[in-house]
Amino acid sequence: MTKAIKLLTALPPAQRERLMTLAREVSFPEDARIFEAGGTADRFWVIRSGAVSLDQPVNDLRRVTVAGLGAGDLLGWSWLFPPHEWDFGAVAFSPVRAYEFDAAAVLRLCEEDPQLGLVLVRNVAEVLAHRLEMTRGKLMEQYAMHRRGGAL
């Protein structure tokens, strides 16, 4: 399994500094719902401390946790792709401190600085590839457990 990509440390210093001019420090208490699947994706976060669970609604009463994120991780990528709606929900698993970025402002900055835009999109793509690999591994574990007669 590949190592998780930490968005801010993956950016070259000049691009990181430009992006950080748009950062706003925020915090979420434990159990706070940060966003809901299907909601408008107009921002993203880089987690400074704490843990966030990504979940997927199964029905009106049940959610399944699909991933856990921690310090340095990118929270939210749906802002980058139409229709700009969250694919998952997110909840603070513990108290969370994060840098919050307004998606429209970041996209404007990327238009002004195409090099930053390219580096940012490449790094987000690496994050997505890593998460897809993690999800694939979890699905394979679940399948193997199911084949052995375990519960899903």
Side-chain angles (χ1 to χ4, degrees):
M1 180 145 334
T2 60
K3 184 177 182 238
I5 305 299
K6 304 300 184 185
L7 183 68
L8 293 179
T9 56
L11 292 172
Q15 276 86 18
R16 182 172 51 246
E17 286 175 26
R18 290 208 65 204
L19 182 63
M20 289 306 294
T21 64
L22 302 177
R24 182 172 80 94
E25 292 188 31
V26 297
S27 60
F28 301 99
E30 184 175 350
D31 296 328
R33 178 135 307 265
I34 300 169
F35 55 83
E36 194 69 62
T40 302
D42 59 356
R43 65 196 66 238
F44 67 94
W45 301 264
V46 174
I47 300 169
R48 296 177 59 211
S49 65
V52 173
S53 295
L54 297 179
D55 58 29
Q56 180 69 49
V58 176
N59 57 39
D60 290 342
L61 302 175
R62 188 164 178 255
R63 299 173 190 271
V64 173
T65 298
V66 295
L69 305 177
D73 286 334
L74 170 68
L75 172 59
W77 50 264
S78 299
W79 59 276
L80 197 51
F81 307 102
H84 307 289
E85 294 177 355
W86 300 118
D87 288 316
F88 302 103
V91 65
F93 189 72
S94 68
V96 171
R97 291 177 36 222
Y99 293 119
E100 182 178 85
F101 297 87
D102 176 84
V106 171
L107 290 171
R108 280 191 301 275
L109 181 61
C110 290
E111 287 177 8
E112 293 168 13
D113 183 349
Q115 183 62 34
L116 180 133
L118 179 61
V119 170
L120 184 64
V121 168
R122 280 184 176 162
N123 282 294
V124 170
E126 286 187 55
V127 168
L128 293 176
H130 173 73
R131 294 204 186 144
L132 182 59
E133 183 180 324
M134 286 187 346
T135 302
R136 183 178 151 272
K138 285 184 180 185
L139 286 172
M140 295 306 290
E141 287 174 17
Q142 289 292 322
Y143 177 75
M145 186 168 42
H146 176 70
R147 296 276 301 181
R148 288 190 307 265
L152 276 179

